[in-house]
Amino acid sequence: MTEILALRHPLKLGLILIGLALSAAEPLAAQPAPLAAQPAPLATDGGMQISWEVRNRFRLFREERDFTSHVETLRAGSVLASEQALGLQSDGRGWARNTVNRLCIDLAGRVSEPCSRDNVKESYLTPTEHPVTVRLTGAIPVGATCAWSFDEGEGPPRTSTLDCVEPINFRARYGRPTLVNVEVSSGAEAAQRVTGEIMVRDILIAGLGDSIASGEGNPDRPIALSDEGFCFRSYIGGPGQFYRPSRAGYKGGRACEAPETLQVWQRQSALWLNAACHRSLYSYQTRTALGLAARYPHVAVTYLPLACTGATIADGLFGSQRARECLPGKSGASCQTNVNAQLAELREALAAAKKRQPGRHLDLLLLSIGANDINFSGLVADVIVDNSTERTLFRRSGVIGSVDESRAALARELPQSFAKLREALKPLLGGDLSRVLYTSYANPALNNDAPCPGGRAGFDIHPSFNADPARLAGVAGFVQQEFLPQLKNLALCRGGVLCRDPAADRMTFVDAHQAAFGNHGFCARASSDPEFDRACFSPTGDSFDPDIVSAASQPMLCGAGASNYRPYLPRARWIRDANDSYFSAMTYPQGLPAAIQPADVHDATWGIVSAVYGGAVHPSAEGHAAMADAALPAAASVLHLDAADPAEVIQEPLPPPDPAQRSDR
C-alpha cells in the first residue's frame, strides 16, 4: 500500500531496511481487419451503417499487437478477468515482460518525441492525426461495390473504390471532423449513399501518487530465480547466516564468506517501467487508462504515468524524493539518486503540449496519496518485525511506527498537506477538481472481512519476520475505521474537512473495490492457488531449510526449485506478502548515497530489504485490476464517454446518374 518498510529519512542507516498518411490525393488502401473490439456504428437504425474505430488507441503502446491482446481478453468483461486470462496465457510470467520495451516512454521516464508507433512517427503528447479503420456494416448487398470519399475540409477528398466487405485504414486528422460518404452499388439494384462523420477524441490522462498508484510489487519483468541458495548474514542475536533462493544467471559468490559487489548482482535485476519509482504497467492507473481505450473505440488515450513509490504530498508531489533503485545496466556507473517532483513534471509536460497545441489540456488526473504521509510503512514494520534485536534497532532508527503517531498525522499533517495539494491541482484542471479521480486504498490485511490471523505464513522469507496477531488487528482496525474514512472526507470535502468552495473542490472518489479486498488480503489461501504456492509456501511459516549446508544447494524445504514460482498466476491473495516480494522483485536499492550502502550483497541489511523493498503488503496485478474495475466507470462518467454519440449516419437512394456529369473513377 505504501513504500512498505522503506525509511523516510535516507540518512538513517536502517532506512533502506524495510522499506501513439496518406496525402490528400492518394487513394485509400484496403487493409486487413485488426483484432479489436467491435467498432461502434455511427447509427444503428437499420440498413447499412458506417462503423469506425481508432486503432492502437492506447498511445503509450508503440505496437498494435500489445493493445489488441488486451482488447481480446477484455471482451470477457472485467479488467480482473482480463488480467487473470493474460496471466494464464503467459504461464504466470506476465504480459508486460516484453511490452515494457515497446513504449512511447522509456525506462528512465522520458517521453519519446516523436514516438514511432506502428512505423509512423507521431508526437506523443500532441498528436496531429490518428490511425482509423472504417467499415460498412449492416445489410450490405451481396457483391456490392463501395465508392468511398473522405473529406477533411482541406484539399480534394480522399477516395477509394473496393468491395464493400473490405475495411479501410487511413489517418484521420486530429481536431477536425472527417466527412465520410460511401456510394454502394450492387448490380441492377438502385445505388445507396451512406454518409457520416469521423471525429477522434484524444483524452490526456496523467497519474500521480505513491506506490499504490505506481504499481509497486509488480515488476514488468519479474526476477528470474535460481534453484540454488544465496547467503545472507543476520544481525547480532539472529541465526548468524541463512540461505534463500538466488538470482538466475548470477555468477558471483553465493556464500556469505564470498563477498561480491552490488554491480555484479544487479545485472539480473527485475525490470520496471521505471526503476527509480518502481512504476509498473500493472498499476491500476495504467489499467484504468488502458481499459478506457479498449472499451471506447472512438477515443484515443494519451497516458502520462508519474506516480512514484515512497511519495508523500510534500516529498514526491511537491518536492523531489529518493529513487527506489537504478535501471539495470552492465556498467552500473550512473544512477538516478533523486526523482523530480511529480507536479513539476506534470506542469512541464502540459506546458510543452500547450506550446504546440494551445487547446491541449489535461482531461483526467488519477490520484492515490496519503499513506506515506501517516507513515503506514512504520505500522507494517511494527506488525511484522518480531525479533527483539531488529525491533530495538528499527525503533531507535525510526523505522517502526505506532498507531498513535499515525493517528496524529492523520488528524493534523495530512489535512494541511491535502489542502495545499488541492490548490496546486486546480490550475492544472481548469479549476474543476471533479476531474481528479481519487482512488482510495484497500485494507491489505483482511480475509472473510476479518483481520488476518498473523503468524509467519507469507513472511518467513526473513528469520526476524512474524506478523504479530494483536498488533496486526490494531493496524487493520485503524486502517478500516479511521484512515480510509478520513481519506474519503478529504477528497469529498466532508466530515469537518474545510474546503474553500466545496462544490468545486470535491474530487471524484473511488472505493468500490474495498469490499472485494475484504476476502483477498495477504493471508487469503485457496485450493485454486498455484501449485508452487500450495506446496512450498508453508501455512505454518516453515518454507525454507534452516540448515546452511543443505540450503546452499536447495533452500526450499518442499524440494521444488524456486524457479517454479509464477508471480502473475491467479491466486486468492491480492496483496503481496514478503515471500511474494522477494520471489517477484528481490530489490536491492541503489539510488542512495554511497556512504550508507552496505558493504556487500550478503549484508544483513540486504536480507531484510530484499524481502520487502519490491512490494510487500502491496496489491498484486489482480488487486490492481480489481481497483481499475472500480475506477473505470467513474472515469467514463467524468469524461462523459457514455453520452450518445453526436455523429449521424444518413442512408438514402442515390439520384439517377446524369450522363453529362458522369466520369470514370
Side-chain angles (χ1 to χ4, degrees):
M1 174 176 292
T2 61
E3 176 198 5
I4 301 303
L5 304 183
L7 299 188
R8 302 177 62 183
H9 304 288
L11 293 180
K12 297 179 180 177
L13 180 57
L15 293 191
I16 356 177
L17 305 178
I18 305 202
L20 153 151
L22 297 171
S23 69
E26 288 180 319
L28 296 165
Q31 300 289 340
L35 292 173
Q38 279 296 323
L42 294 179
T44 57
D45 55 354
M48 294 176 288
Q49 304 94 32
I50 296 172
S51 297
W52 62 278
E53 61 180 319
V54 184
R55 300 193 314 276
N56 195 10
R57 50 191 177 269
F58 186 59
R59 300 186 61 251
L60 181 65
F61 290 174
R62 291 169 50 196
E63 299 187 13
E64 190 168 10
R65 57 177 171 165
D66 293 320
F67 176 66
T68 55
S69 66
H70 288 273
V71 173
E72 287 293 303
T73 54
L74 280 166
R75 285 176 178 163
S78 68
V79 181
L80 177 58
S82 172
E83 176 55 43
Q84 292 169 337
L86 291 167
L88 292 170
Q89 288 176 18
S90 66
D91 188 31
R93 291 174 171 84
W95 58 265
R97 67 192 188 280
N98 295 318
T99 304
V100 71
N101 285 318
R102 300 192 291 260
L103 303 174
C104 284
I105 296 177
D106 66 21
L107 298 180
R110 296 182 294 259
V111 175
S112 299
E113 288 286 11
C115 181
S116 182
R117 302 182 67 247
D118 297 311
N119 300 314
V120 177
K121 289 185 177 180
E122 300 176 0
S123 169
Y124 184 66
L125 292 176
T126 53
T128 58
E129 57 184 20
H130 293 88
V132 173
T133 294
V134 186
R135 299 174 177 86
L136 187 66
T137 60
I140 305 172
V142 176
T145 298
C146 282
W148 292 89
S149 172
F150 297 84
D151 187 353
E152 295 176 321
E154 289 185 358
R158 292 183 277 179
T159 62
S160 186
T161 301
L162 64 159
D163 192 303
C164 287
V165 301
E166 297 290 340
I168 289 181
N169 286 350
F170 80 108
R171 298 186 68 83
R173 294 185 185 179
Y174 179 52
R176 68 178 65 182
T178 298
L179 303 180
V180 185
N181 178 84
V182 57
E183 298 178 5
V184 184
S185 303
S186 178
E189 295 184 13
Q192 297 283 319
R193 174 188 288 125
V194 184
T195 61
E197 180 181 288
I198 293 173
M199 183 77 170
V200 178
R201 178 183 176 188
D202 192 287
I203 299 169
L204 179 57
I205 301 176
L208 300 180
D210 55 23
S211 53
I212 289 300
S214 73
E216 175 68 280
N218 302 279
D220 300 272
R221 186 179 298 161
I223 198 78
L225 292 170
S226 168
D227 296 340
E228 297 178 316
F230 180 86
C231 181
F232 292 103
R233 303 186 189 95
S234 293
Y235 289 103
I236 298 173
Q241 297 180 2
F242 61 96
Y243 277 84
R244 294 297 181 260
S246 184
R247 290 182 173 182
Y250 173 63
K251 304 301 182 183
R254 295 186 295 109
C256 283
E257 294 76 21
E260 187 55 86
T261 63
L262 182 59
Q263 179 180 334
V264 173
W265 180 253
Q266 289 296 79
R267 292 172 185 169
Q268 285 76 42
S269 292
L271 188 64
W272 300 81
L273 168 60
N274 181 272
C277 286
H278 276 194
R279 201 175 291 150
S280 168
L281 289 174
Y282 292 104
S283 78
Y284 88 83
Q285 294 191 342
T286 302
R287 298 307 298 271
T288 299
L290 175 54
L292 289 171
R295 183 171 296 180
Y296 297 95
H298 290 178
V299 307
V301 173
T302 301
Y303 171 59
L304 187 62
L306 296 169
C308 195
T309 288
T312 65
I313 295 175
D315 300 323
L317 295 190
F318 282 101
S320 64
Q321 66 176 99
R322 188 66 68 179
R324 197 63 165 173
E325 63 176 313
C326 297
L327 179 66
K330 292 184 178 180
S331 66
S334 61
C335 182
Q336 180 184 359
T337 58
N338 286 298
V339 179
N340 292 336
Q342 294 174 44
L343 287 171
E345 291 279 325
L346 180 56
R347 291 190 191 102
E348 182 179 347
L350 292 177
K354 284 182 176 293
K355 186 175 182 180
R356 295 190 293 266
Q357 287 183 357
R360 189 66 155 154
H361 64 272
L362 183 61
D363 295 282
L364 185 69
L365 180 66
L366 303 174
L367 175 67
S368 293
I369 196 72
N372 291 320
D373 299 76
I374 66 157
N375 191 26
F376 185 81
S377 61
L379 298 182
V380 175
D382 186 39
V383 169
I384 72 171
V385 177
D386 196 53
N387 182 281
S388 60
T389 301
E390 278 85 346
R391 284 191 66 81
T392 300
L393 175 62
F394 296 164
R395 186 178 290 110
R396 288 175 179 173
S397 60
V399 174
I400 290 179
S402 72
V403 169
D404 286 341
E405 292 168 344
S406 294
R407 182 178 289 122
L410 182 63
R412 296 193 299 266
E413 288 89 349
L414 185 57
Q416 295 172 4
S417 296
F418 211 92
K420 183 180 178 183
L421 175 60
R422 196 189 307 273
E423 294 304 311
L425 293 177
K426 285 182 181 179
L428 302 177
L429 293 155
D432 182 8
L433 291 188
S434 70
R435 290 194 281 132
V436 177
L437 199 68
Y438 185 95
T439 301
S440 190
Y441 306 95
N443 195 322
L446 297 179
N447 193 35
N448 298 320
D449 293 318
C452 289
R456 286 178 51 76
F459 292 91
D460 55 336
I461 189 68
H462 193 277
S464 73
F465 292 170
N466 183 21
D468 180 86
R471 296 194 296 265
L472 178 57
V475 170
F478 167 73
V479 170
Q480 196 71 20
Q481 299 161 20
E482 300 181 53
F483 179 53
L484 297 181
Q486 179 66 349
L487 287 178
K488 192 168 187 176
N489 291 336
L490 289 169
L492 296 179
C493 298
R494 69 181 201 184
V497 174
L498 299 178
C499 295
R500 292 186 179 182
D501 183 358
D505 289 356
R506 293 189 188 100
M507 299 176 180
T508 298
F509 187 80
V510 174
D511 63 354
H513 55 286
Q514 290 176 351
F517 272 87
N519 293 310
H520 294 281
F522 65 74
C523 61
R525 301 290 185 270
S527 59
S528 57
D529 282 349
E531 181 180 355
F532 179 88
D533 293 35
R534 290 183 282 111
C536 297
F537 287 157
S538 166
T540 59
D542 302 304
S543 307
F544 304 96
D545 189 346
D547 186 282
I548 63 172
V549 176
S550 54
S553 57
Q554 173 51 277
M556 306 298 304
L557 276 176
C558 65
S563 60
N564 292 298
Y565 175 81
R566 296 290 183 267
Y568 295 112
L569 284 178
R571 42 179 55 89
R573 63 186 181 277
W574 292 353
I575 298 293
R576 300 288 194 197
D577 56 32
N579 292 5
D580 291 323
S581 176
Y582 184 95
F583 277 60
S584 301
M586 202 192 302
T587 301
Y588 282 47
Q590 290 175 272
L592 295 168
I596 63 171
Q597 290 284 0
D600 67 80
V601 294
H602 302 285
D603 189 278
T605 295
W606 285 144
I608 291 181
V609 172
S610 63
V612 295
Y613 214 70
V617 200
H618 284 74
S620 66
E622 287 181 277
H624 277 281
M627 295 178 69
D629 279 323
L632 262 171
S637 177
V638 170
L639 295 167
H640 306 292
L641 291 178
D642 291 317
D645 195 323
E648 180 183 9
V649 169
I650 300 173
Q651 177 182 339
E652 59 185 358
L654 287 173
D658 183 349
Q661 296 181 359
R662 183 174 180 176
S663 61
D664 293 332
R665 290 188 180 275

